[in-house]
Amino acid sequence: MARPYNFSPGPATLPEPVLAQAAAAEMLDWHDATGRPSGMGVMEMSHRGREFGEIFARTEARLRELLAVPAEFKILFMQGGALAENAIVPLNLSQGGVTDHVITGAWSLRTHQEALRYSEARVVASNVAASSANHTTMPAPASRQLSDDASYVHVCSNETIHGVELHELPDLRSLGSDAPLVIDGSSHIASRAIVDWSRLGLAYAGAQKNIGPAGLTLAFVREDLLGRALRICPVAFNYAVVASHGSMYNTPPTYAIYIAGLVFEWIAAQGGVAAIEQRNIAKAALLYGAIDGSGGFYVDRVAPDCRSRMNVPFFLRDDALGAPFLEAATARGLLQLEGHKSVGGLRASLYNAMPLEGVQALVSCMREFAARHG
Ligand code: PMP
């Protein structure tokens, strides 16, 4: 029987061939590229051994290739999740001075709150509205009052809870700032082909949406930003230390890295990130079209040009229909569609591993439900 479609915001659905290879073919005995058995599962390997070394090197090289990461960026495989990065970034980059923050939703708010512990963290733009329409737009770049002395400017490029996405990275130079741009890209990393690295100083992302299991955090750090950490920065979270040890200063999350590597191979087999992006565009258009075409039965509050392709929070005109909708969806094998508790309503996350067929099934469930209850 086919597996249900899983719309979880994360940890999230993974490509079925990845799960099959990891669980069925390699759980007990991983084979190297030549097909030679290792006699052990990946969870049982030393991170310093030849076998894991091969997995790690292949994973990093594939990621660099898929996202066209320039040589001047180090890719760090870390632990702690994106929330730990909220501390790790100011510990490494702020030097205790000013940091600028753009507030666009729940995650960037938390980034700012954490940065206040280590730096003079300022809010330079925000989409907090006086009305109930909070976090439904992206602040226009020109509205940002950047500080002259900021050690970096932080932006969350896709707000997972509120469903607003930056479709282009801001060009800080054109806004008169030399500060490095720092991006939390947790919930849309590897979903679009063009990352303008020339605008970035640092990007980080938890793995558990588009990359693999929870427990792995990726950080892409421009080399010239290494070596600025505060004395109080834990050594295992010091980017310069992690970089100089090839992400092996302490034990990295080996199994999560292995699964990420399989996901990268899967992305490459799909035609790379450009092909994945086209699918993501089609999936999002289908779902937003169904919401907009429902005559108000389903409601999306996000401004159309800021709508996320990855996370689609939406509402029923009649809130009381939420529970019956979720019941109907679950009965059809459409899982984890509850909205975030702070927002309510429904939310469908359409990460890379969600096939178009999953969104088609969701849309047909929505249409039937509206016909029955409209
Ligand atoms: N930032 C964003 C954009 C997120 O979506 C999340 C998790 N949903 C986080 C930060 C927090 O990540 P973690 O739980 O891995 O620390």
Side-chain angles (χ1 to χ4, degrees):
M1 203 184 93
R3 296 178 84 222
Y5 295 112
N6 177 355
F7 295 89
S8 167
T13 189
L14 284 166
E16 201 170 325
V18 166
L19 296 176
Q21 182 173 342
E26 294 185 343
M27 179 64 86
L28 300 182
D29 188 359
W30 178 81
H31 293 55
D32 70 12
T34 65
R36 182 162 47 135
S38 67
M40 15 176 203
V42 177
M43 276 181 269
E44 305 169 301
M45 290 174 183
S46 164
H47 59 299
R48 306 201 187 276
R50 178 187 65 78
E51 294 84 356
F52 188 73
E54 187 179 318
I55 292 171
F56 185 85
R58 217 190 309 160
T59 301
E60 183 183 2
R62 250 308 182 218
L63 176 60
R64 194 173 278 284
E65 173 195 316
L66 285 172
L67 296 184
V69 183
E72 68 267 24
F73 280 80
K74 296 282 188 197
I75 305 179
L76 310 182
F77 292 75
M78 302 182 71
Q79 307 203 37
L83 283 195
E85 291 296 325
N86 284 346
I88 294 168
V89 172
L91 281 164
N92 274 277
L93 299 190
S94 76
Q95 298 177 303
V98 173
T99 59
D100 278 355
H101 294 260
V102 177
I103 304 298
T104 50
W107 293 114
S108 48
L109 261 172
R110 291 181 71 166
T111 304
H112 173 244
Q113 282 160 5
E114 186 74 10
L116 281 167
R117 297 158 62 90
Y118 306 103
S119 66
E120 191 190 317
R122 298 179 183 154
V123 174
V124 294
S126 153
N127 65 355
V128 176
S131 70
S132 63
N134 242 350
H135 307 311
T136 53
T137 60
M138 278 285 178
S143 74
R144 294 169 194 171
Q145 302 296 318
L146 302 179
S147 308
D148 292 336
D149 49 352
S151 46
Y152 62 86
V153 179
H154 183 277
V155 175
C156 176
S157 46
N158 186 65
E159 286 280 4
T160 321
I161 292 175
H162 293 93
V164 290
E165 181 170 9
L166 259 191
H167 293 289
E168 192 186 349
L169 291 181
D171 177 5
L172 297 186
R173 264 171 251 120
S174 77
L175 300 173
S177 169
D178 289 330
L181 176 66
V182 174
I183 291 289
D184 175 356
S186 294
S187 49
H188 72 166
I189 182 172
S191 70
R192 41 179 67 232
I194 308 287
V195 177
D196 192 341
W197 292 98
S198 72
R199 295 183 177 183
L200 268 175
L202 163 69
Y204 60 86
Q208 67 269 26
K209 292 128 185 352
N210 266 337
I211 303 293
L216 167 65
T217 319
L218 297 173
F220 304 82
V221 190
R222 213 176 59 208
E223 265 168 346
D224 63 289
L225 299 176
L226 298 172
R228 302 183 180 185
L230 295 172
R231 276 186 57 78
I232 59 165
C233 179
V235 67
F237 289 153
N238 183 318
Y239 288 142
V241 172
V242 179
S244 67
H245 288 79
S247 298
M248 304 265 181
Y249 174 74
N250 65 336
T251 313
T254 53
Y255 198 75
I257 291 170
Y258 156 70
I259 298 287
L262 297 184
V263 170
F264 299 151
E265 295 302 330
W266 175 82
I267 293 176
Q270 305 300 300
V273 180
I276 290 274
E277 177 174 17
Q278 289 313 310
R279 267 179 30 186
N280 288 337
I281 290 171
K283 282 153 38 185
L286 182 61
L287 179 53
Y288 285 118
I291 295 168
D292 293 344
S294 70
F297 187 84
Y298 301 103
V299 180
D300 185 315
R301 297 180 184 155
V302 174
D305 59 338
C306 304
R307 285 172 165 180
S308 169
R309 291 177 189 162
M310 295 284 103
N311 309 101
V312 185
F314 62 107
F315 301 86
L316 287 145
R317 180 170 51 204
D318 177 0
D319 230 17
L321 289 175
F325 178 88
L326 289 170
E327 211 173 293
T330 303
R332 294 174 65 138
L334 307 170
L335 307 183
Q336 307 206 68
L337 284 158
E338 301 87 343
H340 189 270
K341 59 184 185 305
S342 68
V343 175
L346 307 165
R347 173 172 51 162
S349 294
L350 312 180
Y351 297 122
N352 289 349
M354 172 58 63
L356 180 63
E357 293 75 21
V359 186
Q360 287 166 339
L362 171 60
V363 163
S364 88
C365 172
M366 288 165 62
R367 292 204 173 113
E368 268 176 41
F369 188 84
R372 216 166 335 118
H373 297 274

